[in-house]
Amino acid sequence: MEVVYVKDHYPEHEMEKYLPDGTVNIIFELSGNPKYIYDNDTKLPKKAYSDVWFSGVLKDYITISAHSEEMLVVVFKPGAGYLLTHQSADSYTDKVVPASKVFGASITKLHANLKLLKTPEEKFEAIEQWISGQFKEDDFYTDMIQYAVETIQNTSSRISIAELAEKSGYSQKQFIALFKKYVGITPKQFHRITRFNQILATVENEKRISWTAIANDCGYFDQAHFIKDFKSFSGLNPQQYLSDIGDYPNFFPVK
């Protein structure tokens, strides 16, 4: 889990793309000003969000408000969805909903308390206390799912879902169902997103970019397959992404 505090963030662009990373998030808006999700094509506001909302794991990018007067974002690692919400994580895949629909009155009370607290440290402590009471205790499947998540994250090229299922002791169908319950997407979808984020990290840290080498290192069969995946998750071809990359790999400015 990571808690990100943002205050007085006013970039030149008003919108940015949030690219999928396999996480689920709780977002606390503390200024009273709503934030928006925009249509990816028309860039017109699609839905307004205020106070506190929950974002399930995303399979595609979304376009969101870039300005933040004061916000707290709690980012949960892949696999935490079920333990956090006590519901199958795929119930919220590709959905952004008011957090009260997921967590009830307790998160509304937490939001009100966060607005009263003065320092970021006090706010972090209040969030951690709420989360410690919210998380479901580790159950029979937690270690197995965590092993599968880490194995996929540590495998930059191709991976055998059949082998992962065999190691879990379940049939492939059962393993995929359990993975979706905890992570929100199938192992194959999670691998694609993980591989995409490895590419973003590589691009961020490299001064010289060889897309062919990156595609090969990440297990793509050909350049066309690589570009198709990149466009699917970002709406851009790789060169377009490089031309206007933002401060953070998963947040791309819309100018």
Side-chain angles (χ1 to χ4, degrees), residues 2-253:
E2 179 184 8
V3 183
V4 180
Y5 179 71
V6 182
K7 189 172 184 179
D8 297 330
H9 178 64
Y10 301 106
E12 294 181 0
H13 55 281
E14 294 186 1
M15 293 177 283
E16 57 192 13
K17 293 179 180 181
Y18 172 41
L19 312 184
D21 60 4
T23 66
V24 298
N25 302 272
I26 302 175
I27 304 97
F28 296 90
E29 163 53 52
L30 302 178
S31 70
N33 297 321
K35 296 294 176 284
Y36 298 90
I37 289 181
Y38 300 87
D39 184 274
N40 287 339
D41 297 318
T42 67
K43 303 300 185 288
L44 295 174
K46 198 163 65 169
K47 197 164 184 179
Y49 294 89
S50 58
D51 297 338
V52 53
W53 56 96
F54 176 76
S55 173
V57 65
L58 300 176
K59 292 189 290 186
D60 298 295
Y61 75 90
I62 58 176
T63 305
I64 60 175
S65 300
H67 293 181
S68 300
E69 295 81 1
E70 186 179 17
M71 294 179 69
L72 275 163
V73 182
V74 189
V75 183
F76 296 91
K77 293 180 179 180
Y82 173 69
L83 300 176
L84 175 68
T85 66
H86 310 169
Q87 302 173 59
S88 182
D90 63 345
S91 301
Y92 296 104
T93 297
D94 277 336
K95 294 180 181 178
V96 181
V97 298
S100 58
K101 289 189 175 182
V102 184
F103 304 106
S106 69
I107 201 158
T108 303
K109 183 178 178 180
L110 172 61
H111 175 263
N113 186 34
L114 292 176
K115 294 182 72 173
L116 298 175
L117 296 173
K118 300 298 183 183
T119 68
E121 291 74 19
E122 290 175 320
K123 299 177 195 291
F124 294 163
E125 184 177 350
I127 288 173
E128 288 177 359
Q129 288 178 354
W130 179 84
I131 289 172
S132 66
Q134 179 65 31
F135 256 112
K136 189 181 183 71
E137 291 186 7
D138 286 358
D139 61 19
F140 183 77
Y141 301 107
T142 304
D143 288 343
M144 182 264 286
I145 294 297
Q146 194 58 45
Y147 169 79
V149 166
E150 291 175 359
T151 299
I152 292 172
Q153 289 175 326
N154 293 329
T155 305
S156 59
S157 57
R158 291 176 288 277
I159 191 166
S160 171
I161 303 303
E163 288 182 8
L164 271 180
E166 185 178 354
K167 289 182 179 180
S168 75
Y170 292 88
S171 69
Q172 190 165 332
K173 184 177 180 180
Q174 290 171 322
F175 171 72
I176 292 172
L178 284 168
F179 196 93
K180 287 178 66 177
K181 178 180 178 179
Y182 282 75
V183 182
I185 50 181
T186 67
K188 184 176 180 180
Q189 290 167 333
F190 181 66
H191 183 241
R192 288 180 63 227
I193 289 173
T194 298
R195 185 166 56 176
F196 172 69
N197 279 269
Q198 289 170 340
I199 292 168
L200 298 186
T202 300
V203 169
E204 184 184 27
N205 297 324
E206 292 289 336
K207 293 182 179 179
R208 287 187 172 185
I209 305 298
S210 169
W211 291 116
T212 301
I214 290 173
N216 289 335
D217 289 345
C218 290
Y220 285 96
F221 293 106
D222 53 49
Q223 195 79 352
H225 183 202
F226 163 69
I227 293 173
K228 182 180 178 181
D229 247 19
F230 202 100
K231 281 186 174 181
S232 172
F233 292 128
S234 69
L236 304 160
N237 66 46
Q239 203 58 44
Q240 286 174 315
Y241 178 83
L242 274 187
S243 68
D244 210 2
I245 191 171
D247 295 330
Y248 306 98
N250 287 87
F251 292 88
F252 184 85

